[in-house]
Amino acid sequence: MLNVEIRHAIDPKTAKAFDTKAMREHFHVGGIFREGEINLIYTHYDRMIVGGAVPAGKRLELDHVKPCGTASILDRRELVVVNIGAEGIVTAGTEYKMAKGDMLYLGMGSGSIEFSGDGRFYILSAPAHQTYPSRLIKIDEAASISLGAQETSNERTIYQFVHPEVMKSCQLVVGMTKLKNGSVWNTMPAHVHDRRMEAYLYFDLADNQRVFHMMGEPEETRHLVLKNEEGAISPPWSIHSGAGTGSYTFIWAMAGDNVDYKDVEMVSMETLK
């Protein structure tokens, strides 16, 4: 079963007036991992698609997605699959066996996609202008950066999978951040990047724990309270940062004008309100 939700872009002035219900309606990502289903959110932020597929012993096919306006989703798009569950299989011409934490890049024109096995597959897609080779990327093939410190509660390792230092893509840049024991903050100090939107997915979070995801303009911040396997759609004008009540890992994905990971505008702690 395929379900597609459409999210329209929201400007910062409009977002200032949102209450909690409206914030969650427009920016919260939840309920995308349902057994036997593919659930997608088609956003109007750089036409990014975020979603989930949980075969649960079945075979699920992703092909025609009406909002894309093409016969098959990858006719004019590239796509990344991240397995956040047990071992599973993704087939797109070639069969790819994916362990937890593996990322699979599928280039434009790869055809229909089939999900099977016991995996829980996180899906990310953006428009593409040319075809780059499909590739399965393991964590030891990713570029890594260690940032933060225990003293500031943000010691973490950033793993860059779909990234210029690892492979070529049209506009998707995707990675995973793992926090060290005792650290709770990710991406703090915060930043914005007006040329690219971003999507977060938090996982490996205990059922009784939560992440407080910070967003909004630096001087007009808001937050979402997220549980395991939930995330946030972050507009280009918004900060994106989070603090957890327990340990967690998160996947970040960007799409927009460039693939320059360092193209950001830092936000000082004095600016945040």
Side-chain angles (χ1 to χ4, degrees):
M1 178 185 291
L2 172 64
N3 303 300
V4 184
E5 177 188 353
I6 296 176
R7 300 274 185 97
H8 291 282
I10 301 298
D11 68 273
K13 289 184 179 179
T14 300
K16 285 182 181 181
F18 282 174
D19 60 10
T20 299
K21 181 179 178 181
M23 287 292 295
R24 294 181 73 83
E25 178 183 346
H26 289 282
F27 304 116
H28 172 244
V29 174
I32 59 174
F33 298 102
R34 295 198 289 263
E35 291 191 357
E37 297 181 5
I38 300 174
N39 294 283
L40 304 179
I41 300 174
Y42 181 102
T43 83
H44 283 255
Y45 300 105
D46 292 297
R47 304 288 171 169
M48 171 79 90
I49 292 175
V50 300
V54 185
K58 301 179 181 179
R59 290 182 177 271
L60 300 178
E61 184 182 27
L62 178 58
D63 192 10
H64 177 66
V65 176
K66 186 177 179 180
C68 296
T70 54
S72 183
I73 185 172
L74 291 183
D75 284 352
R76 292 182 60 83
R77 283 179 165 268
E78 58 186 359
L79 185 143
V80 172
V81 179
V82 188
N83 186 9
I84 64 170
E87 186 172 293
I89 298 172
V90 177
T91 305
T94 299
E95 181 178 284
Y96 301 92
K97 293 183 179 179
M98 297 185 66
K100 184 176 181 179
D102 289 352
M103 293 195 189
L104 172 64
Y105 173 85
L106 297 174
M108 183 177 69
S110 294
S112 64
I113 308 155
E114 185 180 86
F115 303 92
S116 58
D118 297 319
R120 298 175 74 80
F121 300 105
Y122 182 46
I123 299 168
L124 298 152
S125 178
H129 60 273
Q130 72 177 72
T131 299
Y132 288 110
S134 297
R135 179 178 172 184
L136 177 63
I137 310 163
K138 304 285 186 177
I139 195 165
D140 59 359
E141 298 174 302
S144 63
I145 303 172
S146 294
L147 293 175
Q150 188 176 29
E151 292 77 10
T152 48
S153 303
N154 66 347
E155 189 177 10
R156 62 203 188 275
T157 301
I158 300 171
Y159 296 94
Q160 301 166 331
F161 287 75
V162 181
H163 184 277
E165 292 187 14
V166 180
M167 57 164 290
K168 287 187 176 181
S169 65
C170 291
Q171 62 168 318
L172 278 175
V173 179
V174 187
M176 181 186 302
T177 298
K178 292 180 176 288
L179 276 74
K180 303 292 185 181
N181 289 337
S183 286
V184 297
W185 280 103
N186 68 70
T187 326
M188 183 59 69
H191 61 255
V192 296
H193 32 74
D194 192 55
R195 288 159 291 282
R196 290 170 293 160
M197 64 82 65
E198 190 158 357
Y200 271 31
L201 180 79
Y202 295 94
F203 68 106
D204 283 346
L205 183 71
D207 289 342
N208 64 341
Q209 303 297 321
R210 295 293 184 267
V211 170
F212 287 72
H213 180 84
M214 309 302 169
M215 60 180 303
E217 292 182 288
E219 297 182 350
E220 195 76 33
T221 60
R222 298 289 187 271
H223 72 270
L224 299 171
V225 180
L226 306 177
K227 59 184 181 181
N228 187 47
E229 295 186 355
E230 292 189 337
I233 297 166
S234 184
W237 47 264
S238 174
I239 66 166
H240 32 281
S241 178
T245 61
S247 61
Y248 63 91
T249 302
F250 75 98
I251 297 163
W252 45 268
M254 294 178 280
D257 270 343
N258 62 46
V259 292
D260 183 359
Y261 182 80
K262 297 179 180 179
D263 180 19
V264 301
E265 290 81 46
M266 299 302 298
V267 176
S268 69
M269 300 299 273
E270 292 78 9
T271 302
L272 289 175
K273 292 180 181 178

